[in-house]
């Protein structure tokens, strides 16, 4: 009995479509986890802090979040690294 080529191709796409990074990306999109944020402008660090929850991105490349240090809504523009907290284990 031969497995059709399309079935094999579909299985390969589905099996390869659930990488760790894609799963983490989905988890972040649908959760409200805090993140460590570090931003630079022209090579100079201009922000290092933590959000209280989800970081949102707009079409202009700006980040918006509530700063955990002062509870203020903050918007930053620049080259930023956002590292989300690990998901709680069930």
């Amino acid at each position: 009995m031969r497995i059709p080529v399309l079935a094999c191709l579909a299985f390969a796409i589905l099996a390869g479509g659930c990488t760790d990074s894609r799963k983490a990306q989905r988890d972040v999109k649908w959760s409200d986890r805090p993140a460590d944020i570090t931003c630079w402008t022209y090579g100079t660090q201009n922000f290092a802090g933590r959000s209280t929850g989800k970081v949102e991105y707009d079409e202009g490349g700006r980040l918006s979040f509530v700063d955990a240090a002062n509870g203020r809504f903050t918007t930053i523009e620049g080259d930023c690294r956002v590292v989300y907290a690990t998901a709680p284990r069930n």
Side-chain angles (χ1 to χ4, degrees):
M1 178 177 199
R2 298 182 75 192
I3 298 174
V5 173
L6 289 177
C8 289
L9 181 59
F11 178 76
I13 290 171
L14 290 175
C18 193
T19 63
D20 287 346
S21 61
R22 286 194 182 172
K23 181 182 178 309
Q25 186 178 24
R26 275 193 314 271
D27 289 348
V28 165
K29 182 176 181 179
W30 300 110
S31 72
D32 193 26
R33 288 188 283 161
D36 293 319
I37 303 166
T38 308
C39 298
W40 298 267
T41 302
Y42 301 111
T44 302
Q45 183 175 314
N46 64 353
F47 180 82
R50 187 167 179 83
S51 70
T52 59
K54 186 175 185 173
V55 177
E56 296 187 1
Y57 304 85
D58 72 5
E59 62 278 350
R62 291 177 291 271
L63 304 178
S64 298
F65 57 94
V66 176
D67 189 340
N70 57 26
R72 293 182 175 174
F73 180 74
T74 304
T75 300
I76 295 180
E77 190 170 350
D79 297 323
C80 297
R81 181 182 62 190
V82 178
V83 180
Y84 285 92
T86 57
R89 302 257 181 205
N90 292 334

